[in-house]
Amino acid sequence: MSSTSTEPGYPEVLDLYRSHLSRGRAKISEVFGTQMETSARGEWIETSDGGRYLNAGGYGVLIHGARHPHVEAAVIRQIQTSPIASRILLEPTAARAAEALARVTPDGLEHVHFASSGTEATEAALKLARTLGKTRLISTIGGYHGKTFGALAVTGNDLYQAPFRPLLPDVTFVPFGDAAALAAELAKGGQDACVILEPIQGEGGVRIPPAGYLGAVRALCDEHGALLVLDEIQTGMGRLGHWWGADREGVTPDILLAGKGLSGGIVPVSAMIATPAAFRAFNRDPFIHTSTFSGAPIAMAAARAAIEAIEQDGLVERAAKVGEVLLTGMREIVDRRCPQLVTEVRGVGLLIGVELKGAGLAGALLAEMVNRHLIVNYSLNAGAVLRFTPPAVISDEGTEFLLSAFDGACAEVAARYPTADSVGAS
């Protein structure tokens, strides 16, 4: 599984990044060392220097781990038969994938539009909302829905929006988790409104709303005639110890967005799943919103197999169980090693956030975990929060490794920075 002599070495790859990809990305790489990913299986990544890293990052994609055998086999079979379809004749792989997805989503969500990335699913939802006369968009501060033009308009971070304004008009942001603030906004007129939010904010720093929030949002949208889009691109597919964040409160949105884990960690695929009433314009005209690779058989094989693997392996239940072990262990480590540096350890299932008292501390802790061969992610809309999204297939060995590496990293950072203020003086 290690790199071969014909593969380019780190200096050459770094130079190629500088020349053809991104000098900024190359600079980030230099911070974390000279290793390169060469292969992956389950929760482990192997690198060009013969090392092995536990992948608790991947931005929530790898709920199955890397190269789950059931998904891998389904994709290989599809490659060997029909990876890309004509789009003129009906194609059975897409039909079966849509049936499987509709079966595991909340009752009432029956129609599926497939895409390739999460942001494309958001774009499809925003366009579908327009067909229903919903021209006013209400999103949440700190929410993240993608960076293509429409999706960016409802992504609540000025850092990413500012270079590309003007964006879509009539977009309002309300505080996440604040049903009263949403009620006040909808009271201005909800018939033309589309509300889009996440059950738990991922890039917003694993922000968990108060119990009952989603139910209140659903009730408010019903009361005012607003459309509800629930972005489950990161929270769905079992990551929260439920199939969907919506299931935690028994809520059915008008439109649900899926992605990341829907790929099985192998072929990019996302989806917009809608009620018949919301989907009617797309039902009438199949060409109103299309994409060359939407519903490609290779992606459909991955999506269907990803759903089957979650069911067969009990990954929803395992996400809940392992998540509780990790959350308990990580809180104990923080209490023992560095309580003065951490604001909170929070999470649901296998979406866990560690909020430090400053982005500098978060960067230091991230670097120390990489040094200990543990990969996690920063949060794009919350620089002080590190995000842990390990796969539900993580072994007992992997769980112990994660906690041990986190423990060592916390101890090292605490020794280097005895107080939260000392990071700025170092």
Side-chain angles (χ1 to χ4, degrees):
M1 291 178 69
S2 60
S3 61
T4 67
S5 59
T6 60
E7 292 174 338
Y10 177 80
E12 180 182 351
V13 170
L14 185 65
D15 186 57
L16 291 172
Y17 264 80
R18 289 186 182 122
S19 299
H20 304 298
L21 290 170
S22 166
R23 289 192 297 274
R25 181 64 183 83
K27 186 177 294 186
I28 292 172
S29 171
E30 292 178 294
V31 173
F32 293 113
T34 61
Q35 61 279 357
M36 298 181 294
E37 297 183 25
T38 55
S39 63
R41 170 72 78 179
E43 69 263 48
W44 299 101
I45 292 171
E46 294 198 6
T47 54
S48 54
D49 60 358
R52 188 172 76 152
Y53 289 70
L54 190 138
N55 190 2
Y59 297 96
V61 169
L62 300 168
I63 191 69
H64 305 79
R67 295 170 53 207
H68 187 286
H70 183 70
V71 184
E72 186 176 58
V75 170
I76 290 172
R77 284 195 302 270
Q78 197 63 45
I79 289 173
Q80 294 172 337
T81 54
S82 174
I84 301 294
S86 71
R87 303 300 297 273
I88 298 297
L89 306 177
L90 295 184
E91 197 283 308
T93 313
R96 291 171 181 148
E99 178 189 39
L101 187 53
R103 174 170 48 80
V104 298
T105 50
D107 290 344
L109 296 170
E110 301 175 11
H111 295 282
V112 181
H113 172 84
F114 285 108
S116 298
S117 64
T119 193
E120 292 175 74
T122 302
E123 296 286 347
L126 297 179
K127 289 180 71 175
L128 189 58
R130 283 291 181 92
T131 70
L132 298 167
K134 310 302 182 182
T135 57
R136 191 161 69 93
L137 301 173
I138 303 174
S139 186
T140 57
I141 298 168
Y144 186 91
H145 305 288
K147 290 179 181 172
T148 52
F149 209 68
L152 181 60
V154 291
T155 290
N157 189 334
D158 185 69
L159 177 66
Y160 305 121
Q161 287 192 349
F164 305 104
R165 291 193 177 108
L167 298 168
L168 292 181
D170 297 327
V171 182
T172 303
F173 293 90
V174 297
F176 180 68
D178 188 340
L182 177 61
E185 189 60 36
L186 287 173
K188 300 174 184 177
Q191 289 290 333
D192 63 347
C194 170
V195 176
I196 180 168
L197 50 78
E198 303 153 89
I200 294 173
Q201 287 189 339
E203 298 293 352
V206 191
R207 299 293 176 188
I208 305 168
Y213 173 66
L214 285 186
V217 169
R218 175 72 273 180
L220 286 167
C221 288
D222 290 341
E223 177 186 350
H224 294 279
L227 190 78
L228 176 59
V229 178
L230 206 57
D231 183 343
E232 297 248 28
I233 291 164
Q234 184 163 171
T235 56
M237 299 295 291
R239 179 151 297 280
L240 302 182
H242 299 266
W243 264 104
W244 311 96
D247 295 337
R248 298 177 70 218
E249 294 192 11
V251 168
T252 298
D254 300 294
I255 299 172
L256 183 143
L257 307 181
K260 295 191 184 290
L262 185 61
S263 68
I266 294 181
V267 179
V269 60
S270 63
M272 176 190 72
I273 313 98
T275 64
F279 200 76
R280 59 180 183 263
F282 280 26
N283 256 337
R284 283 194 304 268
D285 184 354
F287 299 109
I288 195 171
H289 180 71
T290 59
S291 170
T292 300
F293 293 103
S294 171
I298 186 174
M300 298 299 91
R304 183 185 178 196
I307 292 167
E308 291 171 344
I310 290 173
E311 293 176 315
Q312 293 166 8
D313 292 358
L315 297 187
V316 175
E317 297 78 11
R318 182 155 177 79
K321 180 181 178 181
V322 177
E324 186 59 35
V325 170
L326 290 175
L327 188 62
T328 299
M330 291 168 67
R331 283 173 170 167
E332 187 277 327
I333 288 167
V334 165
D335 287 345
R336 177 165 45 86
R337 295 292 194 187
C338 55
Q340 75 280 13
L341 305 181
V342 175
T343 299
E344 187 181 17
V345 180
R346 54 181 176 265
V348 177
L350 290 174
L351 178 58
I352 299 173
V354 178
E355 181 171 0
L356 291 105
K357 295 179 179 179
L361 285 168
L365 183 59
L366 176 62
E368 283 302 324
M369 284 189 283
V370 173
N371 287 341
R372 287 164 173 77
H373 289 208
L374 171 61
I375 293 175
V376 304
N377 292 132
Y378 53 86
S379 298
L380 290 176
N381 283 354
V385 181
L386 298 180
R387 207 154 20 109
F388 294 69
T389 54
V393 298
I394 190 171
S395 62
D396 291 344
E397 175 201 1
T399 301
E400 292 171 5
F401 183 95
L402 189 158
L403 290 173
S404 177
F406 182 65
D407 181 74
C410 285
E412 175 62 30
V413 172
R416 195 185 315 160
Y417 307 113
T419 68
D421 293 336
S422 62
V423 67
S426 61

